[in-house]
Every structure is written in structure tokens, then in C-alpha cells.
Amino acid sequence: MSVLSDEDSSPLLTVDELAAEAGLTVRTLRYYASMGLVPPAVRRGRVALYGRDHAARLGLVRALQDHGFTMSAIEKAMARIPASAGVEDLAVQRAVLTSWAPAGPEVLDRRQLDDRAGRALDEEQVALLIETGVLERVGRTYSPLPGFEMSIELLDVEVPADGIREAADAIERHMGALTDELTEILRRRVLEPYRAIPRTDEQSDRLEVTMQRLRALTLQAVVSGFQRATNAVISRSLR
């Protein structure tokens, strides 16, 4: 039973129709609603109906799940999106959030973690990996994060654990500042002009692809910039 929205010609869906379109069970849909991941339904008498914005929010939730976000992280991300955000705004959010996320979580038990590391890790080493942000522990499972392989190799270098911690703190501090500045440039130069003009679904999909390419190019630029800065430091020291 679909009816037309008062605002446009888009059909409003029943909970069963929305769940089917989103590829969810009705029970899961109601659970997401209870978490505040989708706004309240539109009421037509005793019938609860849902519009395109509800479907777009559910699409964003599913995309974040596919990219390895935990439900806690998804809840926080969705809470930051204004209730007034339209379908296009949600498409932008999806492009931004998913393009910078890993492809999916790798969940390992303790034995599998040692296999993944290629060595038997002691508890102190595991704690150091967690502390430096390259390993996440949830209950009795572990998920390697970007930088895990490099940190495993670093364990074989004769550097005290405190030195590794200090280096990790310095990287996190400067990368945080760089990320804030790049995000502001992205907002002003890419996202705000995109929002200013109505877009089709096809154009929204192209934005998602563009953001993925931008991610790869940005990572290359950061590495290249660090190499140039390192060369400059070496040159100054030789002089």
C-alpha cells in the first residue's frame, strides 16, 4: 500500500515495503528506528508511512556496515547528521563516510591474530598495538586496523616501547591537524558546490566514485609530501 507524499510525487511506504526495499527484516528496521537511526514515521491515521529520506538513511546505515563500522560508530555518525538532511545531503554523507573507511572489518580470535601477525604476540605487545591505534579489541576478538603490518615489523626493531608510543602520538597529532584542514578544504571546494545544485541519483553515485579516487590520491599526496619534507630535513642537516 503506497501513497503519495504531500511534498512530492514520491510514494510513501509501509514498514513492510520499506524493509523489503532496504533488504532488512521489519524487526531490524524497528530496532534501527528505536536507536534513532531513522526519523519517526509519517502518520496517516493509524498507519505508519516512510518516505525517500527514510530509505536514504537506511541505505547509509547499510553502507557503513558494509565498510566495517560498528553499530556504536554508526549511531554516532548518524547522530551528527541533521534531522532536516534531505536525500541529496545523505548521498553526500554516504560518499564522504564510506570513501574513507576500510573495506570491511577483519574479526580474529587470539590464535588467528598470531597467524595474521606471523608470530606469537605476547600480551604486552598486543597491549602496545591497541594503545598505538593499529589494533582494536572487542571482547575476545581483535580487528587489525591500518598500520598493523608496519607496527608488527616495528616490534623487531630495537626501539623501546615508550619510543614507539611517542612516535605514534606525534603521528596521530599531526595527522589529526592535517585531516581537519583537508576536510575543511573538501567541504568548501567540493561538498558545498555539490549541495548548491539539485543532483540526480546517477550524479550522486558519481560523487561516491570521485570521493574514492580522491581518497587514494590524497594518501599518495601525504606520502609524497612526507618524503619531500624528509629530504629537506636531510639536506639541511648535511649543510
Side-chain angles (χ1 to χ4, degrees):
M1 183 198 76
S2 299
V3 299
L4 295 183
S5 165
D6 291 338
E7 298 178 358
D8 55 39
S9 59
S10 302
L12 291 173
L13 307 174
T14 65
V15 65
D16 295 288
E17 291 170 334
L18 178 61
E21 182 174 309
L24 301 170
T25 65
V26 172
R27 181 177 181 179
T28 300
L29 174 54
R30 285 177 172 151
Y31 171 64
Y32 287 170
S34 71
M35 296 177 65
L37 302 183
V38 292
V42 177
R43 290 285 174 179
R44 294 290 186 271
R46 299 176 64 182
V47 179
L49 298 172
Y50 301 85
R52 292 178 65 224
D53 57 332
H54 294 90
R57 285 180 182 266
L58 286 174
L60 176 54
V61 171
R62 292 294 300 276
L64 294 177
Q65 286 179 316
D66 291 343
H67 281 76
F69 283 69
T70 64
M71 286 308 299
S72 176
I74 291 173
E75 191 173 7
K76 292 177 182 177
M78 299 300 290
R80 290 194 292 268
I81 300 175
S84 59
V87 174
E88 289 182 0
D89 289 321
L90 292 168
V92 170
Q93 291 287 345
R94 175 171 172 169
V96 172
L97 291 172
T98 60
S99 64
W100 295 96
E106 185 179 4
V107 180
L108 310 172
D109 61 25
R110 188 63 177 81
R111 181 186 60 78
Q112 291 170 327
L113 177 63
D114 287 345
D115 291 342
R116 179 75 161 71
R119 59 188 293 171
L121 299 170
D122 60 38
E123 291 307 311
E124 184 177 349
Q125 290 171 330
V126 171
L128 180 60
L129 293 171
I130 294 172
E131 185 178 348
T132 53
V134 298
L135 183 67
E136 184 178 62
R137 176 163 52 197
V138 180
R140 295 185 177 182
T141 63
Y142 302 84
S143 292
L145 302 174
F148 177 79
E149 290 81 3
M150 177 196 66
S151 296
I152 292 298
E153 293 184 24
L154 194 58
L155 294 175
D156 292 326
V157 180
E158 294 184 3
V159 177
D162 286 344
I164 295 176
R165 291 187 182 95
E166 288 182 19
D169 287 343
I171 291 172
E172 185 70 23
R173 184 169 61 255
H174 291 288
M175 286 300 100
L178 178 60
T179 299
D180 287 343
E181 189 167 348
L182 290 176
T183 299
E184 175 61 19
I185 294 171
L186 177 68
R187 182 187 64 79
R188 287 188 292 104
R189 299 299 186 186
V190 179
L191 299 183
E192 287 188 352
Y194 177 87
R195 287 193 180 105
I197 304 173
R199 307 284 178 170
T200 65
D201 291 341
E202 182 181 351
Q203 289 172 321
S204 297
D205 291 340
R206 286 208 301 270
L207 174 66
E208 195 162 341
V209 173
T210 297
M211 293 300 298
Q212 291 168 354
R213 292 186 61 192
L214 184 61
R215 172 183 184 268
L217 292 172
T218 301
L219 292 176
Q220 292 177 22
V222 169
V223 172
S224 298
F226 182 79
Q227 290 173 335
R228 290 195 300 272
T230 301
N231 290 338
V233 170
I234 293 173
S235 297
R236 287 198 301 270
S237 67
L238 291 177
R239 288 199 298 270

